[in-house]
Amino acid sequence: MSWHALEFYFLALMACAFALAVVFAANVVRMAFYLILSLGATAGLFFLAGADFVGAMQLMMYVGGTLVLLVFGVMLTAQGPWVSIRTSGGEWVLAALVGGSLLAVLVPTAMRLDPAPNHEHAAVPGTAHKSENKAPDAKASTEPQTTRPTATRIGLGLIGAPTSGTSGYLLPFEAISIHLLVVLIGAAYLARPKRRARPKLVESDEA
Amino acid sequence: MTNLLYFQLGLPLALAHVIVALVACFLLINLIAVGALFFIWLERKVSGRIQDRLGPTRVGGKFGWLQTLADGLKLITKEDLMPKGADALLFRLAPYISFCASFCAFIALPFATGWVGLELNVAAFFVLAVLGLEVFGVILAGYSSASKWSLFGAMREAAQVVSYEVPLGMCVLVPVLIAGSMDLTKIGNLQAGWFTNWYIFHDPFTFVTFWVFFTCAVASVNRAPFDLAEAESELVAGFHTEYSGLRWSFFFMAEYGSMFLVSGLGTVLFFGGWNGPIPVADLLGLSASHSGVAFFIANLLGMTGFIFKSVILVTVMIWIRWTLPRLRIDQVITTCWKYCTPIAAVMFTGVVFWQALGIPSGGDLAPRLGRPAGASREGWLMPDAANPTVAQHGPAAHAATEAPTNTHTPTDPQTK
């Protein structure tokens, strides 16, 4: 078993084990903590595959997003009656159904993939993870350029330059970002403090 | 170094990887630990002088420089207490989570050309992402302590860190934009030469950006005047009220480690990293090649400069802590959303226009002092201008334009 495979199995096992721990834990904060570890291990898998941008993204978005979950978990359950959550039988069945059907879709799809469609994957075990420690000449000669500047490739692929010459996904990307901005402003507007009956009191508070 | 072990000494590849990783980890952990020892001593001395006292004077000779070691020994011998109602697992784990997050971020922080635990293409982004994870340790500590003081401290910390990540990210984006890369080694090397090439002197906008960055960095590592999570005048000691002994000291190792980390990040992004105010190594002709003893000495000089600049920033943080009073929580949030974020946004826009219009930067106004020939000012504009065939030739031409900048970020010199 190669070193790369060993690392892969370690991280994969960690992700799966903590995912199960999320399901079987009763305390919300512990669940969130296990979820963080599981998602962190997934980020480790991305780094292992040489997708450092996606790995950092996973840390920033998913693990960071779990932070908010954790905060709400702490706020709601710190001393209250919901310190431990018991799941009813019906919810178990429903959750197993949803999770199982997703698994039933994903596993055959994953199995159908060609295990080594090109030389990129063959180059991964030795080079992708530790390629930074190799001499540049060895890297330039054997390793494809695809493993190094991942963020650049993603960015260029997104705006469609210079590979295709079209505008790529720039327009949908901008549309989505403006949409998100509108949503944020809307959320801030809805969550604003309502105007009080005596606004002068508020002003004097601030002064 | 992996190559050295693998090809020349004939060790198995797995073993070589493990050895290299262990060496890097050993060096980084020692850096954080010794750094913490030094910074705590510095904190005591500086706070003493600011308050018209002497600070520690007895332990270890004239300046009391062994004071932290004595403190550490005292902490080790203390009993490891845990409150009765605490969540035992999370309570025990929380300090290590804080420390791990602080340590992991160091992996991607370069100390000189190629002297970095793991040379990531997205190092700036990675450091920011991992730095945000440190708050988990604080929140878990606050929750699991079964103490109201701890919980209040943790919730304040959560609100503060989540808020300050926004302007901090915007400020980091500015040097990334100018350099055209998120690779910290590349960003550092694009500022090679005299201090006029540093990004803080690039244009007025970057100058302001640095101060916003520094404010947000102080807030994100939870230092005074933003240390609401601890707030000893209101919350006893905030999130670490219930901790004692070694676990408590791990929180402080994490805090001082993070202080050095954000200072190092600021140094790389705005103060040229290992490229000193005066390019001593260049003037001596040491950095001409990318291998050999001369390069090693040049890197050593650079690393000394890097650590010196980072320590100065840490000292400024200590100075701020003992000068400014603590803000209220509403003032902290106001500072973030009403001041730091808009200023950072305006500065970002300003830098975008500065770059897009091609206005000369600070390094251009001074005669190109010691700037390496291959380094262009705008990493994202110059390749197109110099090589208009990019749009037609696609990825191959793009790879070719990447190449000259790649030669400036050679790998670990010990590989040779």
Side-chain angles (χ1 to χ4, degrees), chain A residues 72-154:
Chain A
F72 277 100
V74 169
M75 277 201 294
L76 295 177
T77 71
Q79 311 285 334
W82 295 290
V83 170
S84 70
I85 293 177
R86 278 175 194 76
T87 322
S88 66
E91 284 172 329
W92 273 108
V93 172
L94 200 65
L97 210 66
V98 173
S101 54
L102 185 62
L103 194 71
V105 174
L106 284 180
V107 168
T109 316
M111 291 298 167
R112 213 180 299 147
L113 285 178
D114 196 0
N118 52 34
H119 57 285
E120 278 180 41
H121 286 75
V124 161
T127 51
H129 185 225
K130 288 282 178 182
S131 63
E132 291 76 14
N133 285 339
K134 299 235 167 190
D137 50 344
K139 196 172 66 189
S141 60
T142 59
E143 199 184 329
Q145 285 283 331
T146 48
T147 50
R148 276 293 286 161
T150 46
T152 317
R153 282 171 55 82
I154 291 172

Side-chain angles (χ1 to χ4, degrees), chain A residues 164-179:
Chain A
S164 58
T166 65
S167 69
Y169 300 104
L170 191 58
L171 187 66
F173 182 76
E174 283 299 321
I176 290 171
S177 60
I178 287 175
H179 175 75

Side-chain angles (χ1 to χ4, degrees), chain B residues 104-310:
Chain B
C104 282
F106 268 96
I107 290 176
L109 185 73
F111 287 84
T113 309
W115 287 9
V116 49
L118 180 64
E119 202 166 294
L120 277 179
N121 187 246
V122 290
F125 187 51
F126 177 82
V127 169
L128 273 191
V130 176
L131 195 67
L133 301 186
E134 206 193 323
V135 67
F136 280 118
V138 173
I139 292 180
L140 290 177
Y143 169 76
S144 62
S145 292
S147 156
K148 285 202 173 83
W149 307 123
S150 305
L151 195 62
F152 276 132
M155 298 320 289
R156 286 179 178 187
E157 166 89 3
Q160 182 181 327
V161 168
V162 170
S163 308
Y164 273 91
E165 260 182 13
V166 175
L168 189 70
M170 272 190 195
C171 294
V172 170
L173 216 54
V174 166
V176 167
L177 173 89
I178 299 172
S181 168
M182 287 195 280
D183 189 342
L184 286 176
T185 312
K186 201 181 278 184
I187 293 176
N189 274 333
L190 281 172
Q191 305 171 60
W194 293 78
F195 62 90
T196 45
N197 292 338
W198 289 356
Y199 280 160
I200 187 173
F201 302 125
H202 185 271
D203 56 64
F205 296 109
T206 53
F207 188 79
V208 178
T209 307
F210 169 73
W211 298 107
V212 180
F213 168 83
F214 195 66
T215 311
C216 298
V218 171
S220 70
V221 300
N222 195 21
R223 288 280 300 182
F226 301 103
D227 62 342
L228 287 149
E230 297 171 37
E232 60 266 21
S233 55
E234 319 156 33
L235 295 183
V236 188
F239 65 93
H240 58 71
T241 306
E242 305 292 343
Y243 281 86
S244 68
L246 209 55
R247 287 182 206 283
W248 182 85
S249 68
F250 263 100
F251 276 123
F252 274 80
M253 290 251 276
E255 175 175 332
Y256 284 91
S258 303
M259 274 166 73
F260 187 77
L261 179 84
V262 290
S263 303
L265 188 64
T267 305
V268 173
L269 292 178
F270 292 99
F271 287 100
W274 44 94
N275 298 300
I278 300 163
V280 180
D282 282 339
L283 295 182
L284 294 175
L286 288 173
S287 59
S289 64
H290 286 303
S291 60
V293 180
F295 182 66
F296 184 80
I297 295 172
N299 252 1
L300 210 59
L301 282 174
M303 191 176 81
T304 315
F306 171 79
I307 290 179
F308 182 69
K309 281 183 259 183
S310 305

